[in-house]
Amino acid sequence: MGIDHDMTRTAFRTCPLCEAGCGLEITVKGGQVTRIRGDQADVFSKGFICPKGSTLKQLHDDPDRLRRPLVKRDGVHVEVEWHEAWAVIADRLPEIIGRHGREAVAVYMGNPSAHSLSAMLYNRSLLQALGTRRRFSASTVDQAPRQVAAGYVFGTAVSVPVPDLDHTDFLVILGANPYASNGSLCTAPDFPGRIEAIQARGGTVVVADPRRSRTAEQADHWLPIIPGTDPLLLAAMVTTLAEEGLIAVGDHVTPWLQGLDEVVAACASFTPESVAAATGLSPADIRMVARGLAAAPSGSVYGRIGTTTAGFGDTSHGVSGFGTTTSWLIDVVNTLTGNLDRRGGAMFTTPVAGGATTRGKPGSGKGFSTGRGATVARGLPEVMGEYPAAAMAEEITDAGDEGIKVLITVAGNPVLSTPHSRQLDVALAQLEFMVSVDMYLNETTRHADVVLPPPSQLQRDHYDLLLLQFAVRNVANYSDPVLPRDEGQPDEWEILAKLGLVAAGLGPDAEPSLADDMGIQALVQSAVADQRSPLHGREAGEILSLLGSEPGPARMIDFMLQTGPFGAGFGAAPEGASLQRLRANPHGVDYGPLQPRLPEILRTPSGRIELNHPVLMADLARLQAAAAAHAAQAGGERGLLLVGRRHLRSNNSWMHNIEVLVKGKARCTLQVHPDDAARLGLVDGGAAEVRSRVGAVVAPVEVTDAVRPGVVSLPHGWGHDLPGTRLRVAAERAGVNSNVLADHLAIDPLSGTSVLNGIPVAVAAV
Ligand SMILES: Nc1nc2c(c(=O)[nH]1)N[C@H]1C(S)=C(S)[C@@H](COP(=O)(O)OP(=O)(O)OC[C@H]3O[C@@H](n4cnc5c(=O)[nH]c(N)nc54)[C@H](O)[C@@H]3O)O[C@H]1N2
Ligand SMILES: Nc1nc2c(c(=O)[nH]1)N[C@H]1C(S)=C(S)[C@@H](COP(=O)(O)OP(=O)(O)OC[C@H]3O[C@@H](n4cnc5c(=O)[nH]c(N)nc54)[C@H](O)[C@@H]3O)O[C@H]1N2
Ligand code: SF4
Ligand SMILES: [Mo]
């Protein structure tokens, strides 16, 4: 790209900061971004933008954002040239692998790697080159339960139904606050506007949340549920539907459905009356939601963080996670009310590129399973190719000869985002070697021997490969880089691919583009040989020449677009999806509203919706036992339960170094209900110590009736006061790390996902 000194140009780019994927209109003058606003012509977001979107400029300009690699010398990080950084890695990594074996290396992939096209495509090459099973990611402090439930019931871990927001008449939101988060596992720019549109067309919105969130405030009904009890609420709704004769599955689902009666029977012990005390909800309210869903022309239950990461059980003996079972019960309720796979209900996206639900044989498949390997220290099973993030620290410190010796982090900050953070912080200091691919020197990367920074968000291309698989419309949008890369700066895909080659011993000058060429050749060759591929029988050489010779994500995404369900098929359907078509349409291409996909969506071995999958049925028994233990808990004294929350101007543990986002009132406060504050002698603006089984923090108190009594709330992602970081703005408003309180032993056994909400705590004034 040339240097455009005076020229003003406008670029269009999808915002990569959260799952909403808003279109941005970016004005560039003299090589500088002068303005970012919502792209009115974007086919999906239509001009919507949140306060974070326009800060891509501040992020790019942030002087603390790393522009050159760092190498730790005598405990201090110093900037080096790229070849020096690679030389250090080439010197150390293959040698350690030679000494301890591949399993001595662990990888942690953080959340932004789901928002980086490079990382989505090339993390795989890194993992393949490393050949380790010790893979960890933010999934097990997030959405893994939702995916595991979908895997068992529908056949793949991405067969996740999404609420058909734009057509639904009755939306039930459990444990999500899209007014702050802009939605998750439901890609919908301007989620708030879409909620208000439901109400404007006469529909109803119900929110269950222990906090009166902004979303709860907007809702027609707020159910101030006690944390962790959503599965009880859902099971009682199943019973209500059965008792009142409201089950109406629908002819479009019945032929494919398995185990309905069995599931209903297994829920029978959960009635609105039997769960009232535990959930804190009246039987009338529980029945109201079940009846409302059944009576509405269409409806959908949608659950997020508060359902996947909540704990439940006897609070004095330690709660446990039920995220997978909760996610499954959401599918059960949607199915029983006839809302599965119908307009306005819970539907499946047809991803334009890279969808696992559009590959293979339609209608059945090998299904979903877990347990290919287990962690050394605790024997926790593999789930979706990963181990629980909560086990990372102990795999370093408590696994003897088999301990992790090397950690590679990509776009992650587990020292702030994962449970029992203090333990992980200590463990990372014991590694033999650590490499981080990251743009900041933060709480995690300060432990790295080498930090490799990717180009800024404005300096690379983008396609929301993962998040468009959960979109409320079938859309596609590709963005070219807005700004050129700095001199000598490799693209993020080159860093990831090269890291794999260097780890494999190919030396500091290994050429990632060669590996990429081989990768695309292999893809094309297997496609032309595959009977189910639209390229079957074509000439591999012809396809490769049509793809061109420029390596990197763009070529790969072109292949995925052209071979996808709307694809151009390399000339077979000239108007179809391709990179060229998307480049010609910088505001995106809309492939329309979600369409019913049963039965072709299914990839279960039976070719059916395995609603009564034995793993899930067995977990219902565990839920029953937990409910009994909870009810029997001595004296009914349960103490306080801690939940998290998000703020529109924050993004997990990062973006706190951007002044315009963090200025103003301190956000990392402990919210306490006035009744609890009075009882505990806490005053607004005072300080409180919050103590859990594993740790304690002191946080400023905010007294507010926006949390229900018995519940306190502290946001995650704060605690920027650790030495050795380079986050000058963030350090001034450090806040405290709520994950010091999260218990690494409290997990959902089906998905390995941590309990981050509903943590039993004691709170005292200090
Ligand atoms: N208590 C509690 N804990 C939680 C949660 C909660 O609700 N409560 N939420 C959980 C959830 S949902 C998530 S997703 C996790 C997030 O946990 P993580 O993924 O571990 O952490 P992030 O805060 O997203 O950190 C992102 C890191 O990536 C870097 N980065 C940003 N963009 C890029 C990029 O494009 N490339 C590269 N290479 N690096 C980049 C940033 O500098 C930062 O270091 O936190 C989880 N932790
Ligand atoms: N501004 C901003 N946007 C973000 C992020 C961010 O950090 N900041 N993070 C992004 C990421 S990685 C993700 S995964 C998504 C998450 O998106 P959401 O799931 O919408 O996340 P939250 O806003 O934390 O909303 C979770 C809600 O669950 C409630 N809750 C807690 N425990 C329970 C419970 O047991 N039951 C019920 N019913 N509710 C409960 C909390 O009070 C909170 O209001 O947001 C994404 N978007
Ligand atoms: S809602 Fe998400 S995608 Fe849209 S502008 Fe804000 S951060 Fe970016
Ligand atoms: Mo997340």
Side-chain angles (χ1 to χ4, degrees):
M1 247 181 271
I3 301 168
D4 40 353
H5 289 292
D6 299 312
M7 207 182 78
T8 299
R9 62 187 165 91
T10 305
F12 299 97
R13 195 201 197 286
T14 307
C15 176
L17 295 174
C18 89
E19 296 181 38
C22 303
L24 305 177
E25 182 196 296
I26 303 178
T27 311
V28 184
K29 187 164 192 283
Q32 298 282 319
V33 170
T34 55
R35 186 177 70 189
I36 300 183
R37 59 179 186 179
D39 174 11
Q40 299 292 333
D42 185 280
V43 295
F44 202 12
S45 62
K46 303 196 161 83
F48 178 82
I49 184 173
C50 89
K52 292 184 296 302
S54 66
T55 66
L56 284 181
K57 172 183 162 54
Q58 284 85 345
L59 189 58
H60 177 77
D61 293 336
D62 184 353
D64 286 342
R65 182 175 65 79
L66 304 178
R67 285 149 175 88
R68 295 170 68 202
L70 302 178
V71 168
K72 200 188 245 181
R73 295 208 174 117
D74 302 322
V76 180
H77 283 100
V78 294
E79 281 193 8
V80 300
E81 297 300 330
W82 279 92
H83 67 86
E84 290 179 72
W86 289 119
V88 173
I89 299 171
D91 193 37
R92 301 282 314 277
L93 193 48
E95 186 271 321
I96 300 175
I97 296 172
R99 206 154 23 94
H100 295 289
R102 291 170 178 279
E103 293 297 306
V105 183
V107 184
Y108 176 87
M109 309 275 181
N111 170 271
S113 52
H115 300 265
S116 156
L117 181 58
S118 279
M120 280 180 285
L121 293 172
Y122 294 87
N123 273 348
R124 213 175 305 157
S125 355
L126 171 62
L127 291 167
Q128 268 165 11
L130 291 169
T132 175
R133 289 179 188 225
R134 281 208 162 115
R135 303 170 180 188
F136 302 86
S137 88
S139 291
T140 51
V141 281
D142 188 351
Q143 86 294 349
R146 178 54 282 191
Q147 293 193 264
V148 171
Y152 287 128
V153 175
F154 303 112
T156 89
V158 289
S159 310
V160 174
V162 300
D164 185 16
L165 281 189
D166 296 342
H167 307 108
T168 198
D169 302 293
F170 200 101
L171 180 65
V172 180
I173 299 180
L174 309 177
N177 183 15
Y179 277 77
S181 69
N182 279 300
S184 178
L185 287 186
C186 175
T187 303
D190 193 14
F191 203 129
R194 292 172 202 261
I195 286 179
E196 285 152 39
I198 297 170
Q199 296 170 315
R201 60 178 181 261
T204 304
V205 178
V206 180
V207 171
D209 196 309
R211 297 185 314 113
R212 195 179 62 242
S213 65
R214 178 73 188 80
T215 308
E217 232 160 59
Q218 177 67 35
D220 300 280
H221 304 280
W222 170 41
L223 306 179
I225 193 168
I226 292 175
T229 65
D230 299 73
L232 306 184
L233 163 65
L234 289 158
M237 283 167 63
V238 170
T239 301
T240 301
L241 294 168
E243 280 178 356
E244 302 190 5
L246 299 175
I247 294 175
V249 171
D251 296 342
H252 65 299
V253 172
T254 305
W256 321 109
L257 186 62
Q258 162 185 312
L260 174 88
D261 295 341
E262 201 186 326
V263 175
V264 170
C267 288
S269 68
F270 300 101
T271 65
E273 279 71 22
S274 78
V275 305
T279 58
L281 304 177
S282 72
D285 276 345
I286 297 172
R287 291 201 169 90
M288 175 273 291
V289 186
R291 288 172 189 157
L293 266 173
S298 72
S300 190
V301 184
Y302 163 67
R304 246 342 241 114
I305 283 291
T307 59
T308 52
T309 62
F312 175 65
D314 176 340
T315 56
S316 56
H317 290 88
V319 297
S320 176
F322 289 92
T324 303
T325 284
T326 308
S327 302
W328 165 56
L329 288 171
I330 288 173
D331 295 336
V332 170
V333 170
N334 284 331
T335 304
L336 297 187
T337 53
N339 285 307
L340 182 69
D341 200 40
R342 83 159 169 203
R343 190 176 157 98
M347 301 189 78
F348 299 98
T349 311
T350 308
V352 181
T357 66
T358 58
R359 279 197 300 267
K361 182 172 148 222
S364 67
K366 69 175 166 31
F368 179 84
S369 61
T370 66
R372 282 163 296 251
T375 62
V376 175
R378 223 191 304 176
L380 295 170
E382 164 274 347
V383 176
M384 302 196 293
E386 296 179 13
Y387 294 130
M392 208 158 35
E394 69 207 27
E395 291 294 284
I396 299 172
T397 55
D398 300 340
D401 290 346
E402 294 177 76
I404 294 169
K405 303 290 188 299
V406 176
L407 178 66
I408 297 173
T409 69
V410 179
N413 192 5
V415 167
L416 294 192
S417 348
T418 66
H420 204 357
S421 301
R422 200 128 291 161
Q423 186 192 37
L424 181 64
D425 192 41
V426 169
L428 294 188
Q430 297 174 23
L431 291 165
E432 274 190 45
F433 193 59
M434 176 168 160
V435 179
S436 291
V437 181
D438 206 293
M439 48 184 58
Y440 283 105
L441 188 62
N442 62 20
E443 298 73 21
T444 297
T445 62
R446 73 197 179 108
H447 291 289
D449 295 279
V450 183
V451 185
L452 304 170
S456 91
Q457 275 73 5
L458 293 174
Q459 293 172 309
R460 37 179 145 125
D461 63 352
H462 190 65
Y463 182 92
D464 262 317
L465 193 55
L466 185 66
L467 304 172
L468 285 174
Q469 308 210 19
F470 310 110
V472 299
R473 287 185 77 83
N474 299 320
V475 291
N477 203 335
Y478 175 82
S479 330
D480 274 306
V482 176
L483 298 174
R485 288 201 299 276
D486 302 344
E487 188 73 33
Q489 167 71 54
D491 204 346
E492 188 166 36
W493 75 268
E494 295 175 284
I495 298 171
L496 295 167
K498 181 160 175 165
L499 189 51
L501 299 177
V502 175
L506 296 183
D509 301 318
E511 201 27 85
S513 64
L514 297 180
D516 190 50
D517 286 342
M518 280 165 58
I520 196 89
Q521 279 162 19
L523 263 181
V524 171
Q525 264 142 15
S526 84
V528 297
D530 177 0
Q531 287 192 5
R532 295 208 178 84
S533 162
L535 301 187
H536 182 234
R538 302 271 297 265
E539 211 35 74
E542 178 217 352
I543 307 292
L544 283 166
S545 76
L546 288 169
L547 278 167
S549 58
E550 201 190 318
R555 182 171 59 170
M556 199 76 92
I557 205 76
D558 191 21
F559 178 81
M560 291 179 168
L561 287 164
Q562 296 222 37
T563 54
F566 303 94
F570 295 94
E575 291 303 299
S578 67
L579 183 62
Q580 189 187 15
R581 178 117 207 269
L582 292 191
R583 278 188 163 139
N585 290 276
H587 311 290
V589 178
D590 181 20
Y591 292 92
L594 304 186
Q595 300 297 330
R597 288 192 61 190
L598 281 172
E600 62 77 16
I601 177 87
L602 298 173
R603 293 293 184 280
T604 49
S606 61
R608 306 188 126 217
I609 301 163
E610 298 189 4
L611 205 61
N612 61 338
H613 193 285
V615 173
L616 299 166
M617 294 301 289
D619 206 51
L620 204 52
R622 188 175 67 91
L623 181 66
Q624 253 143 359
H630 180 268
Q633 199 172 329
E637 180 46 67
R638 303 217 160 78
L640 293 165
L641 296 174
L642 175 73
V643 300
R645 66 178 188 269
R646 279 173 167 75
H647 193 284
L648 186 58
R649 302 179 81 91
S650 173
N651 204 5
N652 294 317
S653 78
W654 71 296
M655 298 191 75
H656 295 161
N657 209 50
I658 297 180
E659 185 85 43
V660 288
L661 289 178
V662 290
K663 67 179 184 205
K665 231 171 81 186
R667 275 189 220 123
C668 187
T669 58
L670 182 76
Q671 295 184 335
V672 187
H673 188 273
D675 295 352
D676 293 320
R679 185 166 53 82
L680 298 165
L682 300 172
V683 292
D684 194 77
E689 187 201 57
V690 191
R691 181 170 289 282
S692 74
R693 190 186 77 84
V694 294
V697 297
V698 173
V701 172
E702 178 188 344
V703 178
T704 167
D705 68 358
V707 284
R708 62 162 291 140
V711 173
V712 291
S713 168
L714 189 64
H716 74 285
W718 299 89
H720 303 298
D721 51 358
L722 300 179
T725 65
R726 193 178 298 172
L727 294 162
R728 281 167 284 193
V729 176
E732 284 167 25
R733 297 173 184 78
V736 298
N737 179 2
S738 69
N739 279 321
V740 164
L741 302 168
D743 188 337
H744 58 298
L745 297 182
I747 60 169
D748 165 28
L750 270 48
S751 66
T753 301
S754 294
V755 170
L756 306 170
N757 286 286
I759 299 170
V761 291
V763 177
V766 290

